[in-house]
Each structure stands twice: as structure tokens, then as C-alpha cells.
Amino acid sequence: MTRLQVDGVTVELPAGATLLDAARAAGAELPTLCHDDRLRPAGSCRTCLVHADGRTVAACVTPAEPGTAVDTVGEEVRELRRDAVALIASALPPRALADDSPSELAEACHESGIDPTDSGAAPPRGSDESHPYVHLDRDLCIACGRCVRMCADVQGTFALTLTGRGADTVVAPGTGGPWAASDCVACGGCVDTCPTGAITQPGPGRGLTSRRADPDRVRTTCGYCGVGCALDVVVRDERVAAVLPARDGPVNRGHACVKGRFSYGYLTSAERLTEPLVRRGGVLTPASWDEAIAVVAEGLRAAVGHGGPDAVAAISSARATNEENYLVQKFLRTVIGTNNVDNCSRLCHAPSAAGLTASFGRAGGTDSFDDVETADCLLVVGANPVEAHPVVGARLLQRALAGATLVVADPRNVGLARHADVRLRPRPGTNVALFHGLAHVLVDERLVDPDFLRDRATGLDELTELLADYPPERVAGITGVPADDIRRAARLYGRAERPAVLYGLGVTEHLHGTDGVRTLANLPILRGAVGGTGHGFGISPLRGQNNVQGASDMGALPDLLPGYGHVTDPEARDRAEAVWGRPVPPTPGLRIPEMFEAAREGRLRALWIIGEDVCATDPDSRRVAEALDACPLVVVDELFLSGTARHADVVLPVASWLEKDGTFVNFDRRFQRVRAAVRPPGTARTDFEVVHAVATATGADLGCPTPADALAECGRVAPVFAGLSHARLDREGAVPWPCPSPDRPGEATLYAREFATPDGRAHLSAAPYLPPGEEPDADYPLLLVTGRRWAHYNSGSMTRRGGNLLLDTRGRLDLHPEDAVRYGVRDGAPVVVDSRHGQARLIARVGADLAPGQVFCAFHFPDEGVNSLTSEHADTVTSCPEYKVTAVRVRPTASDD
Ligand code: SF4
């Protein structure tokens, strides 16, 4: 610790602190117009001048030395600071310092007694209002560079620069031209850091930043991706005025992305459902809640009467809260009497749950992201976090720019790949061979941890025997990855002191996705880089939807109860039955694809779908629609009349994540609170209220009347959650599970003593490489990979209803220039994509991000039909669809209608 005096007050600070830290610790407030704690200090504006042992220095860049005497209050030094602020303000028009301006500069002027009428000499420089979320008023720019540093150092986009000379220096997009046409990804970092209001968000949120903690802001957790950013919602006139990144957010630390930060326009969309709809005479017509709930209850009774409890099923929601998921599965199990409940992790990370459980014993990542981020080698596989998990992508990029080696394995040249030390581009569907190739090198070159393998792992002999068949040269033939690159990547991972593996859906959404997870998990086991050994940070899945981890944790799965007790395990059932007072069915229920199959075959007679647009997001969507049409009762909880809702018999309008209370679990197993900032529109209710209402209408009482009660009850069913409560999360912010006791912290790092497998050991997998379900042929010569684009999310139901639509207006098909020539496709022109299953219409985007023979698109625009292309091939262990490998052909078309 460093001890020094500030204005006569003794302060103690950790090593590396600055005089600004010291001044703040002593309670002094200094203007800091070029400084933001999230950025490297610049020391250029001189507004934080102090006297240190008689010298005049900028506090933000001056190290705190032991014994220094700092003066922040003397007349002379205050005058120096006032002059520095006044000089900066003098170049700006008076509106920069208006009384109602919340900017740092205006505040500094007011506190220093600087008169706004003194300012305003500079000639006007104009504005840029081309972007839906970021407006630039050049006249207010003081060229402090905070926005430029935020864009480069925190976001890693490098979209901004300072142009001009001297007093004419001003921020501008690095590409020149309007902001809307720049590389900006609208993370909002520049808006949040700008000290003058030169860069602002238009509308009622103009000028609001995360700088001041304001008690009337509502702290919640982002409802888009699984990163779990903490956000502060500002409400004006009962509407969301701004969503600001929380500077003390445990994962995001004052950052966010275009979705969480800006994409809330959907809340007030005229298309929001505000009253229930019931199908009458073949047409969905408005109904009261009492009528709609009565129809649902009667339909459920009829289904059970006709086919027994297993004629009913529910698809719960990875978008919904933990408490809602808990209640849905409890309703199905205890009121209906079936285990037919599943959630969309079936379509994304079910192989993670199965694979990580088989390898280590628990269905989540092995380490906290805070640890992963300190790794000296990052192996990122089958993921594009820069677009799909932007805040994690930004933090990984920061780590790589700070010197960690980076290996990226993905068929596409994804954002992080551009900064990678080694880029591996395996053919889609060949992951298992690639992972075995890497493992072969680790074993062959003795880059393994023999003590760890002897003491804490099992399966080495079988794996070693198998790896003999996977030398890099053979793996190169299967994957298309050069053998030397496999060796280089394995050596970087194998020789690192603290390596970490992160992966995404490019590993799981395959015919052999669970094998992919397990054989990837072989690498940290071989290396002894898992289980709190201090030699690395295991393996972490980047979860897709905001609460896909939590939906599964809560037991919205056909074979697993809350906390992952198996329904076939009498002990797990006993525990749940003791709490619920009702029997739990002992046989696993239907998975989502099996639900559709049962509906088509007439075995399933009632399907309740909560917040999922399965007609847009599930594979082979034509067959999904057939299933819904064949099912006598389809109930859909939704925000909008989605493609799925159009097939429903009852549509129930529900609240979104900004309109409800509860908790989510993020990708590294942290529980965080979700809080209602605004009321849902019309008569819309939360899913929590809806499940209660349906249960009541069927004559049942589910208990746990509030979300807080539901989480508390879940803790009694599942010991791993017993230490969690809303009250604790309100106090502590985020708590990871396992958390078996209220007086113990959650376990951020798993398996420090032993693995949670039956024998306490990590299990190596010797699964051989097997080819994907689809291969290209003469009729369908291209391989289609699907994924996400940065501005949109999933089926796009929320992001297409607001400014994000202006950032990315429609679906595009990425293809290589050689393929564009071969198939007569022009960049920007409409194309038809055919597979063995369906057809999609997209706009071609020609570029070298993909290898020849591969194409890529997202499914954010359901009308374009992307998921009619994908097949019913699915992971052989978990039924997770093979979204990442579909054989297609492409042809130009005259019209994009
Ligand atoms: Fe929300 Fe994910 Fe963006 Fe964070 S990174 S703001 S959690 S969508």
C-alpha cells in the first residue's frame, strides 16, 4: 500500500494508484475532462491539476508516491484548474454550458463559476445525425479523445479518429463520410464517455450517461444474450428514456452493446400484443383473459382426457426468468403429471450440458470469466463473440491486444480471427477431428500434465490409442486445416502458463455436438488446465440467449429436475416431491423435436409455447408448422403475433424482460436480478402470472406466489441453489452457483477439490470423428453455416422493431468471390438458396470471410425462410439440431420478392 497526504488527510492506496485516486480517496472532487476510469489516462486536458510537493501536475497521470503531500484546495491550484476549464469552454457555444446540460463540462463550469456567456467564439462546424443511435454535434467536441479511446481500447472496433488541426480538431468516423456508413457497431461507449454532449443518443435519453449513479434508475440484467450485462434503466413519463451500462456491472464493467443499450424500441411498438387472442371460426379474435385462460384450461383437460398426461407438453423459454421456468416445469410435472417440458437449450447448448457433465460432472463452464480473462492463451472455437456476445468479444480482444496469444478455430474469418496468432478454419462438421489433431500434438510433444492425468483424470489409455489415428497430416485431410497450423495452435495452447478455452454454437450444433464438446474438453484435461490447478481456466461455453443457462438450471428439461437431478433418480424425485407435495413422473419426457413428431403423429394434443418463435428458429420450419397445425391445442405466450403465434389456438400477450421481476443466470453461472422498469402494455401479464392463472383454472395451486418465493422454493428442491435469494442478490449483485448456503459465496471456479463425476475424476473422451449428417454433392454443392449478425438477435422479433433495423435491414448470404463467379451471383443482388428441405431468398454479400464452397446467413428475418433450409439431423446424444451444416445450392434471381 502507498500512504500519502491529500489536503492534510492521510490516505492509503494500492500499488499503481494515481494522485487522482488519492484525491478521490480523500473526498476531493476534481474535473477530469479527458479522463474516464474505464480508459487509459491521457493527461491532456489539464483540468485535474494539483500541487504535489510543490509541483503542478495532472493528477490523472501522476503516480501516487509514498509520502507525497498533495494540495487540491489551495487558491493558486484552484485558479489553474478554473483557467484550464474556462479555456476549453471558451471555444464552445453557450448551449454547451446551459443550466440543464448534464454534461461533465457544464458541471465543471458551474462548479468553477464559469459564466456560459463567456463562451461561443468558434465558427459552427455542423452535426452528423445519420445514425439512429449516435448523433454528433461537432461544435461541442473538445477533442479530448475519450470517444476514440473507448472505441479502440474498450470496444476494440477502432471506428473513430480525431481529424483536423489545432482548434479545429474534431472526432470523426475513421472511414470518413457519415457516421451511419462507418464501422461503428453502436456499443454506445462514445455516447457514454463524451464529457460535453458532443456525442449523444437522440430522443429523451439525450445527454444521459452512466457517470452518476442515480437512485431513480432501475438496475436490471440485459435480456438479450447470455453475457448478462448489468444495465440501469432511466424511465421518463412511464417510458424507457435510456438504458445505460452499469459501471459496477460484474461482467460488463460499464460497457454494453447495440442490443442491450439501444434496442428497446420494441417495447412501444404498435405491433405489441395487448390482449389475448382466441381462435374462433379459424380466426384469432380478441378475448378477455378469463375467456382465454378458460379455453387453455379446458383444452388441457381435454388433451389429458384423450391421451393422458403425456399428451400435453410445454416449450419453456430461455428468454423468461428463472422463476418463470421453475413454475412452468412445476406445473407440467405436478399438475399435468408429465415430464414433457423442454427449452431452447435443446437447440443450442444441450450438447454443452451433456458433454460438460460427462467430462466434469456439472452442466456449466468450469471457471468464471474474470479468471478466463487473465489467461495467457485463449483458444476460441466455433464462436463469433464480437458479434454474438459483444461485451465478451470486446474483453477478449482487449486481452489479446494486451499480449495473450489467441487461437481462433472457426470456418469463418470472424472478428477475433483477424487478431489471432493462429487461425484454424476447419470444414463445417469436422470439429472432432480437429480437436483430436490438437490433442495428438499435446500428447506427442509431451505438452500434457502427467501428475494431473494420473491423480485427477481417467480415460487416458483409450484416448492415447485413438489419437494414434489423428496425426496432423491426416487431420488436415479431413478438416482442411494445414498440419503446421494444427501443430502451432497446439503448441501455443500446450506451452501457455494459463490457457483457457471458450466455445460457442459452432461446437454444439452438429450431428455429433456432444462429442465435439467432450473432445474439446479433452484439451484442458490433458493439459491439467482445469479444476483450480492454477495452470489454466478450463472451458467455458458462450451461452446464446440471456437465460438459456437458467432455464435448464430450473429443470425446464424433460429428463432433469431443478438443479439437474435426474427424473429417473428416486432420491432426486423424493426431494422434489417432499417440497411439492405431489408425485414426480419417473420417466423422461419428450424433447422439442420429439414434441413436434408426436404432434404430427397425433400423440401430442396440447402444446404450450412460451416466448419462442419455433416456426422461425427451429430447423426444417415447414415440418414445425405442420406439427403445430396437427396439434388440437397450441397456446403461445408472446410479445408479437409471430409466425408461431399465427398457428396458435390461444395467444397470450406477455411482458418482456424490461417489464418483469425475477433473475437470470448468465454464461458463467452468475445469478443476477431482473427488475421491472416499465409496465407491460394493455392487459399483458408476466409469464409468471400466466402460469399461475392457468394452474388456478385447472383447480391447482402452485404455491410460491411471488418470484422471490419461487427462487426460495427452488433452493429447497435443488441444494446447489439453496444459498440464493432475491434479498441476497439485491445486496450482492451477482452470485454464481453452486451456492448451497446463504452464508457462503458461490463457487466461481469449479472442481478445486474434485470433479463432480461419480468417481470424482475428469473423464477424457475417446469418441472417434464421424462425418456430419449432410455432405455437399452435385445437386447441393455448397455448405451453409448459420449464425448471428451484430445488430440483430435470434428471430429478430425485438431488434427488427426499432433502430437496429436501420443498421441491418435484411438477411444476407455471405459467399466467396469464386463461388459468386461460379454461380453467376453479384454482390448486393437477390439470390435463391435451395436445400433438400426448403428454400430461402436473401441478398448476396460477396467477400472472403468464408472459404470457397461455404456460405453463411442468419435467421433474423423469418420471412426469408432460412430455417426452411436446415435439416432434421440432430446431435445423436441430445437432439440439438445440426444448424451448422446444410448442403445448399445458390442461384441468382431477378427479383427479391
Ligand atoms: Fe446484452 Fe449481451 Fe449486449 Fe451485454 S453483450 S448488452 S448481455 S446483448
Side-chain angles (χ1 to χ4, degrees):
M1 297 292 273
T2 303
R3 178 179 293 202
L4 65 166
Q5 295 262 315
V6 180
D7 303 329
V9 176
T10 302
V11 294
E12 284 197 12
L13 298 160
T18 64
L19 292 188
L20 180 60
D21 300 319
R24 287 173 173 170
E29 289 209 12
L30 306 176
T32 52
L33 292 181
C34 70
H35 181 82
D36 182 317
D37 290 341
R38 296 166 291 186
L39 305 172
R40 278 177 292 123
S44 60
C45 75
R46 320 307 283 177
T47 58
C48 65
L49 293 176
V50 295
H51 282 161
D53 290 340
R55 290 178 304 124
T56 305
V57 294
C60 67
V61 288
T62 307
E65 300 290 352
T68 307
V70 181
D71 169 20
T72 75
V73 294
E75 183 70 19
E76 186 190 338
V77 76
R78 280 181 25 206
E79 200 58 27
L80 286 172
R81 286 202 302 269
R82 185 185 185 284
D83 288 350
V85 174
L87 182 66
I88 290 167
S90 68
L92 304 187
R95 63 191 153 83
L97 312 181
D99 282 342
D100 60 352
S101 170
S103 78
E104 279 179 68
L105 176 63
E107 195 176 280
C109 285
H110 296 151
E111 282 173 3
S112 306
I114 295 166
D115 182 351
T117 57
D118 292 349
S119 63
R125 296 186 290 189
S127 61
D128 181 340
E129 300 190 351
S130 61
H131 193 283
Y133 297 135
V134 185
H135 284 187
L136 170 63
D137 181 345
R138 296 187 188 89
D139 296 343
L140 302 192
C141 177
I142 60 171
C144 64
R146 276 165 62 164
C147 53
V148 176
R149 283 178 283 144
M150 183 66 87
C151 191
D153 297 355
V154 175
Q155 171 56 29
T157 299
F158 303 93
L160 302 180
T161 188
L162 291 174
T163 64
R165 306 181 70 163
D168 280 340
T169 306
V170 66
V171 65
T175 48
W179 202 290
S182 74
D183 294 334
C184 171
V185 292
C187 68
C190 56
V191 175
D192 201 63
T193 195
C194 177
T196 67
I199 304 176
T200 54
Q201 163 184 4
R206 178 182 293 277
L208 295 174
T209 71
S210 65
R211 183 170 58 101
R212 292 259 181 251
D214 188 340
D216 73 358
R217 295 177 181 179
V218 179
R219 171 63 58 87
T220 193
T221 305
C222 181
Y224 282 103
C225 85
V227 171
C229 293
L231 302 171
D232 287 326
V233 185
V234 183
V235 178
R236 299 270 189 272
D237 300 327
E238 299 186 20
R239 293 172 75 130
V240 172
V243 178
L244 305 169
R247 294 205 183 185
D248 58 350
V251 189
N252 54 317
R253 300 174 183 171
H255 199 44
C257 82
V258 64
K259 286 161 276 200
R261 179 74 163 86
F262 293 118
S263 190
Y264 50 83
Y266 72 89
L267 286 172
T268 51
S269 164
E271 295 176 85
R272 274 298 290 273
L273 294 172
T274 57
E275 57 188 341
L277 303 172
V278 172
R279 191 171 295 280
R280 294 184 178 113
V283 180
L284 285 170
T285 50
S288 71
W289 273 96
D290 285 349
E291 289 171 307
I293 295 290
V295 172
V296 175
E298 184 49 42
L300 293 174
R301 261 187 230 111
V304 173
H306 192 281
D310 288 338
V312 177
I315 299 175
S316 198
S317 179
R319 320 302 315 283
T321 62
N322 292 318
E323 294 76 4
E324 290 168 336
N325 279 286
Y326 176 77
L327 214 58
V328 172
Q329 61 83 34
K330 183 179 179 185
F331 173 73
L332 267 287
R333 291 188 161 116
T334 64
V335 178
I336 302 294
T338 179
N339 282 314
N340 287 347
V341 59
D342 205 354
N343 76 82
C344 83
S345 71
R346 181 70 50 213
L347 311 179
C348 55
H349 272 292
S352 291
L356 295 174
T357 301
S359 296
F360 305 115
R362 290 200 191 281
T366 59
D367 290 72
S368 89
F369 186 63
D370 296 340
D371 290 334
V372 167
E373 201 190 31
T374 64
D376 60 352
C377 174
L378 298 163
L379 172 56
V380 182
V381 186
N384 184 10
V386 168
E387 294 199 50
H389 305 84
V391 167
V392 158
R395 283 179 63 178
L396 292 175
L397 187 51
Q398 288 169 36
R399 186 71 194 143
L401 294 174
T405 54
L406 178 62
V407 177
V408 175
D410 195 281
R412 294 193 300 146
N413 190 22
V414 292
L416 281 180
R418 293 168 203 145
H419 302 270
D421 296 278
V422 181
R423 233 175 357 159
L424 310 173
R425 298 179 71 176
R427 266 184 219 111
T430 62
N431 283 337
V432 172
L434 178 66
F435 304 152
H436 283 330
L438 295 168
H440 178 103
V441 178
L442 293 182
V443 171
D444 197 43
E445 301 191 8
R446 299 181 195 281
L447 299 172
V448 299
D449 183 335
D451 295 341
F452 181 90
L453 290 168
R454 184 191 62 234
D455 298 339
R456 299 195 61 187
T458 185
L460 182 61
D461 291 345
E462 297 90 326
L463 178 62
T464 307
E465 195 179 322
L466 178 94
L467 291 180
D469 287 340
Y470 293 88
E473 281 68 23
R474 177 170 177 251
V475 171
I478 299 169
T479 63
V481 178
D484 282 350
D485 287 349
I486 295 170
R487 286 198 178 85
R488 285 173 59 218
R491 287 169 187 157
L492 284 180
Y493 181 83
R495 290 174 182 164
E497 304 249 314
R498 301 182 314 281
V501 179
L502 293 114
Y503 72 92
L505 302 181
V507 172
T508 58
E509 291 179 338
H510 290 279
L511 183 62
H512 303 289
T514 302
D515 287 348
V517 173
R518 292 209 58 194
T519 52
L520 182 59
N522 283 347
L523 304 180
I525 299 173
L526 287 169
R527 185 66 184 66
V530 62
T533 58
H535 301 306
F537 303 108
I539 177 167
S540 298
L542 292 167
R543 310 294 310 237
Q545 304 220 50
N546 55 315
N547 198 33
V548 71
Q549 176 76 48
S552 298
D553 295 346
M554 293 296 112
L557 292 168
D559 52 345
L560 297 169
L561 296 165
Y564 298 96
H566 206 282
V567 297
T568 58
D569 176 2
E571 214 175 290
R573 281 203 315 278
D574 284 350
R575 207 168 39 237
E577 288 169 358
V579 176
W580 293 340
R582 300 284 299 257
V584 173
T587 48
L590 298 174
R591 297 169 173 181
I592 291 173
E594 294 166 343
M595 292 178 191
F596 296 142
E597 191 184 337
R600 287 191 294 265
E601 293 173 0
R603 289 181 285 119
L604 190 72
R605 302 191 62 81
L607 179 58
W608 190 355
I609 302 171
I610 296 170
E612 298 289 344
D613 187 3
V614 293
C615 285
T617 59
D618 288 37
D620 207 351
S621 52
R622 187 180 51 81
R623 299 270 291 153
V624 174
E626 282 173 18
L628 300 187
D629 291 341
C631 190
L633 176 70
V634 174
V635 182
V636 171
D637 289 17
E638 254 303 350
L639 308 184
F640 300 100
L641 194 61
S642 64
T644 302
R646 289 177 202 282
H647 290 271
D649 301 286
V650 181
V651 181
L652 302 173
V654 290
S656 77
W657 61 279
L658 285 159
E659 300 160 336
K660 62 169 90 172
D661 270 291
T663 55
F664 293 153
V665 187
N666 82 332
F667 78 106
D668 66 351
R669 295 177 278 105
R670 292 180 222 222
F671 274 75
Q672 298 185 97
R673 286 279 278 120
V674 179
R675 297 183 182 88
V678 288
R679 287 213 302 263
T683 67
R685 299 178 177 180
T686 64
D687 292 305
F688 195 84
E689 293 168 327
V690 173
V691 180
H692 267 304
V694 171
T696 302
T698 58
D701 179 359
L702 286 172
C704 38
T706 68
D709 295 326
L711 185 60
E713 183 181 291
C714 180
R716 290 196 283 132
V717 176
V720 287
F721 307 134
L724 294 156
S725 66
H726 281 209
R728 179 173 182 180
L729 294 168
D730 287 341
R731 282 194 311 275
E732 298 181 25
V735 181
W737 73 265
C739 183
S741 167
D743 51 13
R744 278 179 34 201
E747 281 181 50
T749 301
L750 295 180
Y751 317 126
R753 276 180 290 118
E754 62 174 8
F755 292 95
T757 50
D759 60 5
R761 288 172 163 261
H763 287 220
L764 290 160
S765 167
Y769 162 71
L770 296 168
E774 294 218 344
E775 299 273 16
D777 59 17
D779 289 337
Y780 300 97
L782 299 165
L783 277 183
L784 170 70
V785 178
T786 62
R788 280 189 207 166
R789 306 279 191 192
W790 66 274
H792 288 293
Y793 184 75
N794 210 269
S795 67
S797 64
M798 297 192 294
T799 51
R800 282 184 283 104
R801 291 178 169 95
N804 288 42
L805 187 61
L806 301 173
L807 301 171
D808 190 4
T809 54
R810 58 173 303 178
R812 283 157 289 120
L813 181 82
D814 296 351
L815 77 170
H816 192 274
E818 287 177 19
D819 291 323
V821 170
R822 185 170 300 125
Y823 301 109
V825 169
R826 281 184 301 108
D827 187 38
V831 290
V832 174
V833 185
D834 288 294
S835 75
R836 297 182 179 98
H837 320 282
Q839 185 176 84
R841 290 169 177 269
L842 298 156
I843 297 295
R845 185 168 75 172
V846 179
D849 280 352
L850 286 149
Q854 297 168 21
V855 293
F856 174 86
C857 66
F859 47 84
H860 304 311
F861 296 85
D863 291 347
E864 291 164 351
V866 167
N867 268 325
S868 72
L869 297 171
T870 46
S871 76
E872 283 193 312
H873 290 295
D875 176 38
T876 50
V877 177
T878 65
S879 305
C880 177
E882 192 180 43
Y883 287 116
K884 300 299 184 192
V885 189
T886 306
V888 298
R889 63 179 171 235
V890 176
R891 63 184 160 85
T893 179
S895 146
D896 63 351
D897 294 338

